[in-house]
Amino acid sequence: MEYKQAKSIAIKLRKELEPFCKYIEIVGSVRREKPEVKDIEFVIVPRTTKITDLFGDSGKEQRLNHFCIAINLAGVIMKGDIKTDKYVKVQLNEDISLDIFMPSEQDLYRQVAIRTGSADYSHKVIAAGWLKAGWAGTRDGLRRQSECYQKVIGNYPDGKEKKEWICNNPNPTLPPVWENEYEFFQFINTKWVEPNKRYI
């Protein structure tokens, strides 16, 4: 799909979802202003409400029903559960797919950076930056390499081992909560680059 059309769809959908989100950002190739867009990508922190049971406040939270309904109205969910999962893939009614990443607020701006891409830039610049600074990218966010180990989880198409960092410290050292993406770049000692110039 052409950039202008994809951007228009993304902006319209963002506007529809904004009331139900603490944070929502268009990322991926739309944010990079790529002339041809394969899919639309969002990083979202949905608003939540407390779950009550027979005894009152259960101490747990769930995403707003209105948020889940709005996603279901936008298209067909192809992968993931919009109520609970960190990643959901939707085939939008406009005949383009939507990838939704829903990280913790602690990991928000790291996700905005890596989901903006490009894939090579995220791997060779952003991830290389946090590795050089002594951090590892885990499913739960950045953790100190000294508190992690690497586990083989498969193979890439070229035959190389695919590995994942696993934190083995029950009380891990956490990175700071960044106020914006620029602060995250500073944290990993990486020069800020505008999204439309993030290519290798």
Side-chain angles (χ1 to χ4, degrees), residues 16 25 34-35 76 79 83 105 115 120 135 137 141 170 173 195:
E16 291 171 0
E25 178 68 80
K34 194 175 177 184
V76 178
K79 186 175 181 181
K83 293 180 180 178
E105 292 185 60
R115 299 306 172 188
D120 280 347
W135 295 87
T173 303

Side-chain angles (χ1 to χ4, degrees), residues 140-155:
D140 298 314
L142 292 185
R143 298 293 184 266
R144 282 287 184 195
Q145 287 179 33
S146 58
E147 300 175 3
C148 298
Y149 66 94
Q150 284 189 294
K151 178 182 178 182
V152 176
I153 57 171
N155 292 89

Side-chain angles (χ1 to χ4, degrees), residues 37 52 58 68 73-74 92 150 166 175 178:
V37 174
T52 56
S58 68
C68 300
L73 288 173
L92 294 176
Q150 284 189 294
I166 308 289
W178 307 288

Side-chain angles (χ1 to χ4, degrees), residues 16 18-19 31 38-39 44 55 64 67 70 75 77 84 94-95 99 111 141 150 154-155 157 159 162-163 174 176 195:
E16 291 171 0
E18 269 178 338
R31 189 170 185 228
K38 182 182 172 186
D39 50 28
I44 295 175
F55 306 101
L64 298 178
F67 172 74
I77 295 176
T84 58
E94 292 87 352
D95 202 28
D99 290 332
Q111 289 294 327
Q150 284 189 294
N155 292 89
K162 190 174 185 179
K163 297 179 180 180
L174 299 178

Side-chain angles (χ1 to χ4, degrees), residues 17 20 63-71:
L17 296 175
F20 319 122
R63 294 168 188 164
L64 298 178
N65 282 335
H66 286 87
F67 172 74
C68 300
I69 291 168
I71 296 296

